[in-house]
Amino acid sequence: MNPFHISFDPSKPEFWIAVGLLIFLGIVVFVAKAPHMVAGQLDAKRDAIQNDLDEAARIRAEAERLLAELKAERAEAEKQVRDMLAAAEEQARAYEADAKARLEESLARRQQLAERKIANAEAQAEAEVRAAAVDFAARMAEQVLADRLSGAKSDPLVDRAIPLIAEKLA
């Protein structure tokens, strides 16, 4: 016997079970409006999913906008860093030029000071040499005069040379 075989014999209980099932389904469909409720629930679920998709799209658009802003801020920051580096390099070059000028000026002052010290030392040495020469010439003249006075009368050439020596040494 086939379990799926339906017979329309009202004397069999299966017939009445089938009739009861059809009545129940009719009540559910027409009275309780089950398809409408199922469709409403499906529509609500669809609307919720659509809202979730819209929210995800809105969040994605916001994230893309934020990403674009961050990229723009990063580019601006990199530009500022490049500008700051260029300014720092230029300032370093200016400091270097200033330091070089100050060093050259200091070296020139030191050279002038050294030249003055050398000139002063030369003048002092020259004065000392002159003083030594004057002293030596005076001693020599004194000795020559003493030798001449002790041995003979004065020599007219020596007498004329003594005032000249005094004038030359002064």
Side-chain angles (χ1 to χ4, degrees):
M1 173 168 198
N2 187 354
F4 294 108
H5 177 69
I6 300 174
S7 68
F8 294 105
D9 184 8
S11 64
K12 294 194 176 192
E14 291 87 14
F15 173 76
W16 292 109
I17 291 174
V19 169
L21 181 62
L22 288 175
I23 291 171
F24 175 74
L25 289 176
I27 290 172
V28 167
V29 169
F30 293 112
V31 175
K33 303 205 186 219
H36 182 62
M37 286 184 357
V38 170
Q41 287 180 353
L42 288 175
D43 287 344
K45 190 68 165 170
R46 182 199 67 212
D47 290 343
I49 290 171
Q50 186 63 44
N51 287 340
D52 289 345
L53 288 174
D54 292 344
E55 179 68 14
R58 186 190 63 75
I59 290 172
R60 180 184 177 136
E62 179 71 15
E64 288 174 350
R65 185 186 61 78
L66 287 173
L67 179 63
E69 285 178 12
L70 289 174
K71 284 182 179 179
E73 287 175 6
R74 179 180 176 191
E76 179 64 26
E78 287 175 351
K79 181 185 177 294
Q80 288 177 351
V81 166
R82 284 191 302 273
D83 291 346
M84 288 171 54
L85 282 174
E89 287 173 356
E90 187 171 327
Q91 189 175 19
R93 283 191 294 272
Y95 285 152
E96 180 183 9
D98 184 46
K100 191 180 281 186
R102 286 185 185 189
L103 178 63
E104 289 174 1
E105 184 179 304
S106 174
L107 289 175
R109 278 194 311 259
R110 287 184 183 182
Q111 183 178 358
Q112 287 174 352
L113 181 63
E115 288 173 357
R116 273 191 242 130
K117 284 183 179 180
I118 291 170
N120 286 342
E122 286 176 350
Q124 185 178 357
E126 186 178 325
E128 289 174 2
V129 167
R130 282 186 185 192
V134 166
D135 187 45
F136 179 71
R139 276 187 284 144
M140 291 308 286
E142 184 181 329
Q143 186 179 2
V144 167
L145 287 175
D147 287 344
R148 295 230 175 170
L149 287 178
S150 67
K153 289 186 171 184
S154 68
D155 187 4
L157 288 176
V158 173
D159 290 339
R160 278 187 288 165
I162 291 176
L164 291 176
I165 292 175
E167 286 179 19
K168 294 278 185 186
L169 293 178

